[in-house]
Amino acid sequence: MQKRLWTLIERGFQAERLHQNETLFTIGNGYLGVRGTFEEGYPGATPATLIHGIYDHVPSMQIPELVNAPNWLPIAIMVDGTPFTLRFDRHDSLNPPHGALLGYERALLLDRAVLHRSALFRAASGSIVRLTFDRFASLADEHIMAQRVTITAVAGEPVIAVAYSIDADTTNDGVSHWAPDVRTSQALGTIGVERRTAQSGYGVAVTSCVSDPHAVRAAGDALRPALTSVLRLDPTGSAVFDKFSALYTSRDLADPLDAAENAVRQAAAAGYDALLQAHTAAWAKSWAASDIRIEGDDECQLALRLTAYHVLIAAPRHDENVSIGAKTLSGLGYKGHVFWDVELFMLPPLTLTQPEVARNLLMYRYHRLAGARHKAQANGCEGAMFPWESTDTGEETTPQWSDPQPDGSRIRIWTGDREQHISTDIAYAVWQFWRWTGDDDWFRRCGAELLLDTAVFWGSRVEEKNGRYEISQQIGPDEYHENVDNSVFVNRMVVWHLQTALRGLDWLAEQSPDDHARLTTSLDLSAKRLARWRDIIARMFIPFDEAKQIHIQFPGFFDMEYIPVPHYLPRTHSVQAILGHARSIQSQVIKQADVVMLMALLGESLAPRSVLLNNWDTYFPRCDHGSSLSPAMHAWAAARLGLTEIAYDQFHHAVHIDLHDNKGNSRDGIHAAACGGVWQAVVFGFVGLHIDANGDLAFQPALPTHWKRVSFSVNYRGTQRTITVENPA
Ligand code: IFM
């Protein structure tokens, strides 16, 4: 293993990248995510421990959000009375006595999901120490976190004072989600706190204990319980300080504080090394399933591993009632809400490599069918209409209004009302899961109901007019153009959806008549309804320009102002931000892959290659990639069209979205859809992996010329298959 291709390194502390690096250096285990904030803190730092499923809605906000849990990270260190800090500033009179940071390096070890940091520090006394910090959130036991600090005397015999604490007074950017009462742990040698979310009533308990025999409980604050200890180091001597933490919520069991107290004691008894060993072994297994190896492009290899890492640390292993927010658990962007980003971006890599995890994410939707049915009904429709933004309840949680603009006005957000393709995106993910896993049992029990009831929704939503079927007032993937009639993405995907629903139903009729009968009755799949679906398939309006042989994004699209997007290069902002909302929505500027996304999803079943190329030539130059979801889909589609250089450019951009902070907002969390998208760009795009007409795995490589070889594994219908493709020498 080449370590450098598995390690994200920060050499020398970069204060200006504090928040971006907090995001990038996030650790997690599919249950919780913890931003890469420092143990000793830093001015302006934005620490967050986010737990899947723990949402709360305060009255002052439009929508619920994930709650920032009590912070288990704090370890404050004094060397001969000088606080260890990265904020060394000789002229800072607020921070006496001064120390000096003489060296610093931080490394995220992707192979084992351990965050490591080392620093050389001189205290005001002149003593010099080397400090190393390691932390991980166990993949072997998702409730356990461990930290190790090693301090070595390099010069002098310093006195080291350590304070290990929990900060239970956490907020989401100043907004507190906690009810006032606090339960604290009384267990010997342990500190712990349980808080309860004010509106949703979830209990969240965090406990910590340490291996340090000198540690004593500090007097003080219930919201910041602490253990402290003091020792003197011999010349060149070292001391190791281990802190173990456990986190449970009332989603796990009735008394999370009691569970966390027991768990943390057991973790401490097992010890750091044993916990690390179990954690590392679990990661080795996970990477064996999910790693992609690229030879010939070390830069993208590392970046690709980082994107895979971020999907893997966010993917719930043991819970089928949670899903992954647009920013994973690495930041508060989009409030932790779940979008189509899961089904069409993050799920495919999991479906093909760790299907048991993918199934959890699909089950999240299955368990929220009630919310989707409720939304359909509220909109005068039948069946299941999934919310554009989803949280724990399954109800629609998209805000209706933007935050105030510079002039104080607010913009109406229509996506919660009109971005209805989410229901088909879920159906697409169900079908993809079933085809790749061959999990018939799951399809019969759960998948079919998702596929069929969302089809029922569309059957009731589609309008018969002008001698054909149309769908009005939609938002396609290109969100710059709201409330359009006959989005080609929507209309064509609905045709795919209804066709696929009928195929699924035929399979049930043959292979599982009881389930066929059950669903026919419960979803009212009458002959009349199915006949309507067939009619919609035959007579749906698919906007197409016969003369130019292109799909039309929606009728009227080409009547709007043409803006040559490539002329606005180089740029650090979207063209929409440059031209303003009002003008760009009246223009042909596209936010993200829309017709191009349709091409990626349906390939040549959408149209012959010549039409796909025409579509590409039309839409690629009109797209400003205002969304991070866009470049990876362009890379996939371009690779399939043999436009390898462009595909590589798009891929390179997408795979570095957070590493290079290409959207300027990585501080808010990882762009998780881009992370899943780049996996698809490699596997479906450059490698061209697909299931052929005989049900066999097949590929049609179109690798970037400087790539020598790509290899990865997929789990195809229960069997691990390794795929290697090479560029001719
Ligand atoms: O789901 C996306 C959408 O496609 C573009 N805006 C951001 C959302 C969350 O990532």
Side-chain angles (χ1 to χ4, degrees):
M1 186 185 83
Q2 282 187 282
K3 267 192 176 165
R4 71 192 170 84
L5 300 180
W6 284 95
T7 312
L8 174 68
I9 298 191
E10 180 191 27
R11 283 204 177 84
F13 173 52
Q14 298 168 28
E16 68 289 356
R17 286 174 51 130
L18 181 76
H19 296 136
Q20 180 195 356
N21 279 338
E22 284 179 348
T23 297
L24 287 171
F25 288 91
T26 293
I27 57 167
N29 58 11
Y31 174 82
L32 51 75
V34 188
R35 281 170 68 78
T37 315
F38 301 120
E39 284 78 358
E40 67 281 5
Y42 192 83
T46 54
T49 292
L50 301 172
I51 314 158
H52 275 314
I54 303 297
Y55 292 93
D56 186 67
H57 191 170
V58 293
S60 59
M61 290 175 65
Q62 293 184 68
I63 46 171
E65 63 179 342
L66 275 183
V67 176
N68 188 5
N71 182 8
W72 53 277
L73 287 178
I75 303 179
I77 295 162
M78 304 263 255
V79 182
D80 288 341
T82 306
F84 167 68
T85 169
L86 302 183
R87 188 165 177 252
F88 169 65
D89 178 352
R90 269 172 206 291
H91 309 292
D92 182 0
S93 57
L94 292 175
N95 193 25
H98 306 303
L101 184 66
L102 306 174
Y104 167 96
E105 186 170 288
R106 176 160 54 165
L108 180 59
L109 313 177
L110 301 175
D111 62 326
R112 67 199 68 168
V114 170
L115 182 58
H116 174 82
R117 179 166 59 119
S118 53
L120 196 63
F121 182 72
R122 185 173 59 218
S125 64
S127 294
I128 298 179
V129 293
R130 177 177 312 104
L131 304 100
T132 64
F133 297 81
D134 291 278
R135 72 169 78 140
F136 62 91
S138 175
L139 193 64
D141 179 344
E142 62 189 17
H143 298 284
I144 298 299
M145 292 81 75
Q147 290 162 280
R148 168 164 283 183
V149 183
T150 307
I151 305 179
T152 306
V154 174
E157 298 171 41
V159 173
I160 308 292
V162 183
Y164 316 82
S165 60
I166 297 171
D167 177 6
D169 199 13
T170 46
T171 65
N172 286 29
D173 219 359
V175 174
S176 175
H177 283 279
W178 302 119
D181 38 316
V182 185
R183 256 181 94 200
T184 54
S185 172
Q186 301 306 322
L188 204 64
T190 303
I191 50 175
V193 192
E194 180 179 334
R195 301 219 64 182
R196 200 153 278 276
T197 56
Q199 169 269 332
S200 51
Y202 292 118
V204 179
V206 178
T207 56
S208 298
C209 70
V210 299
S211 59
D212 183 342
H214 309 289
V216 291
R217 202 188 271 251
D221 193 343
L223 288 173
R224 285 187 193 75
L227 296 162
T228 57
S229 101
V230 180
L231 61 80
R232 178 182 287 279
L233 288 181
D234 296 334
T236 74
S238 283
V240 174
F241 305 87
D242 292 338
K243 178 182 180 189
F244 306 94
S245 300
L247 194 155
Y248 278 84
T249 77
S250 57
R251 287 194 65 247
D252 303 310
L253 32 68
D255 188 344
L257 185 58
D258 182 54
E261 281 170 355
N262 290 330
V264 84
R265 258 200 308 274
Q266 280 173 28
Y272 186 91
D273 292 332
L275 296 175
L276 179 61
Q277 205 178 22
H279 168 72
T280 309
W283 270 101
K285 230 170 123 193
S286 190
W287 279 117
S290 291
D291 186 34
I292 298 183
R293 291 162 298 281
I294 302 175
E295 280 178 45
D297 193 342
D298 288 355
E299 184 202 15
C300 284
Q301 170 72 86
L302 175 59
L304 185 63
R305 284 203 172 117
L306 182 69
T307 58
Y309 164 86
H310 275 288
V311 173
L312 293 176
I313 61 168
R317 307 297 197 281
H318 308 291
D319 192 341
E320 47 176 62
N321 260 301
V322 295
S323 188
I324 308 174
K327 302 287 187 176
T328 67
L329 296 171
S330 63
L332 289 165
Y334 288 115
K335 316 271 180 217
H337 290 192
V338 178
F339 295 70
W340 70 318
D341 304 34
V342 173
E343 282 75 17
L344 290 193
F345 293 82
M346 298 173 230
L347 248 168
L350 294 168
T351 292
L352 271 70
T353 69
Q354 304 205 30
E356 61 295 341
V357 181
R359 193 173 41 230
N360 285 340
L361 292 165
L362 288 170
M363 288 305 287
Y364 164 81
R365 296 294 190 182
Y366 179 76
H367 292 308
R368 275 150 195 79
L369 270 166
R373 287 175 178 140
H374 175 235
K375 182 171 177 185
Q377 231 178 16
N379 281 271
C381 293
E382 297 175 274
M385 178 190 193
F386 277 94
W388 176 244
E389 295 187 29
S390 185
T391 56
D392 49 344
T393 61
E395 299 295 324
E396 181 60 73
T397 47
T398 306
Q400 290 205 331
W401 296 97
S402 72
D403 290 336
Q405 302 297 292
D407 66 359
S409 66
R410 290 173 185 264
I411 296 174
R412 176 71 161 86
I413 297 173
W414 287 104
T415 49
D417 308 68
R418 307 281 163 77
E419 200 151 356
Q420 297 172 2
H421 64 80
I422 175 90
S423 295
T424 292
D425 308 331
I426 293 167
Y428 187 94
V430 166
W431 191 253
Q432 186 177 52
F433 179 84
W434 187 35
R435 285 180 72 225
W436 282 88
T437 61
D439 189 344
D440 294 345
D441 181 53
W442 180 80
F443 183 72
R444 302 190 172 96
R445 284 187 301 105
C446 310
E449 190 167 345
L450 280 167
L451 173 67
L452 291 165
D453 215 22
T454 44
V456 169
F457 156 66
W458 280 117
S460 71
R461 173 65 186 79
V462 159
E463 302 132 62
E464 193 172 2
K465 57 182 181 195
N466 302 320
R468 61 193 180 192
Y469 288 95
E470 301 192 2
I471 308 176
S472 60
Q473 297 295 291
Q474 293 296 303
I475 304 179
D478 167 21
E479 295 170 334
Y480 290 166
H481 296 103
E482 295 170 326
N483 308 335
V484 302
D485 294 344
N486 295 308
S487 149
V488 73
F489 179 93
V490 175
N491 288 19
R492 183 60 184 84
M493 286 304 291
V494 167
V495 169
W496 172 90
H497 190 161
L498 297 178
Q499 284 169 331
T500 307
L502 289 168
R503 278 175 71 185
L505 203 54
D506 287 348
W507 183 88
L508 284 176
E510 266 181 37
Q511 306 291 330
S512 193
D514 288 352
D515 291 299
H516 183 267
R518 170 177 61 82
L519 290 171
T520 298
T521 307
S522 66
L523 307 182
D524 186 20
L525 303 176
S526 62
K528 190 170 158 217
R529 190 187 296 279
L530 302 190
R532 179 174 159 88
W533 289 4
R534 290 193 187 92
D535 199 33
I536 295 171
I537 293 166
R539 295 198 295 124
M540 174 68 92
F541 174 38
I542 305 295
F544 190 78
D545 183 327
E546 289 294 341
K548 295 194 175 126
Q549 288 291 296
I550 53 168
H551 286 93
I552 298 172
Q553 190 176 306
F554 56 86
F557 177 79
F558 292 107
D559 301 337
M560 293 184 296
E561 181 189 6
Y562 171 70
I563 291 172
V565 173
H567 291 191
Y568 288 78
L569 283 173
R571 59 181 162 82
T572 44
H573 295 85
S574 66
V575 174
Q576 189 190 50
I578 295 168
L579 299 182
H581 177 77
R583 179 164 169 212
S584 54
I585 61 170
Q586 302 292 344
S587 79
Q588 294 176 35
V589 178
I590 301 167
K591 181 177 182 181
Q592 66 199 84
D594 188 293
V595 175
V596 170
M597 177 98 192
L598 189 60
M599 287 163 40
L601 294 178
L602 299 185
E604 290 190 28
S605 68
L606 173 65
R609 193 183 151 77
S610 57
V611 171
L612 301 184
L613 274 165
N614 294 342
N615 281 346
W616 176 272
D617 290 342
T618 306
Y619 292 104
F620 178 56
R622 287 172 165 80
C623 182
D624 83 342
H625 303 293
S627 161
S628 65
L629 279 64
S630 189
M633 293 300 105
H634 278 84
W636 170 5
R640 284 301 83 223
L641 293 173
L643 306 170
T644 316
E645 257 183 61
I646 302 178
Y648 182 73
D649 279 356
Q650 295 293 310
F651 170 74
H652 188 276
H653 182 87
V655 82
H656 289 95
I657 267 184
D658 290 306
L659 259 182
H660 294 174
D661 200 5
N662 284 340
K663 307 304 293 177
N665 60 2
S666 294
R667 63 181 178 272
D668 298 334
I670 285 291
H671 293 88
C675 296
V678 291
W679 187 96
Q680 298 185 77
V682 174
V683 171
F684 300 144
F686 293 127
V687 174
L689 183 70
H690 60 281
I691 303 172
D692 71 14
N694 303 320
D696 294 326
L697 285 191
F699 39 88
Q700 287 172 320
L703 300 187
T705 46
H706 64 292
W707 288 13
K708 287 198 189 101
R709 186 177 296 120
V710 174
S711 63
F712 55 90
S713 295
V714 293
N715 184 322
Y716 184 52
R717 303 194 174 161
T719 307
Q720 193 82 354
R721 305 272 293 268
T722 298
I723 288 158
T724 302
V725 295
E726 300 190 353
N727 251 332

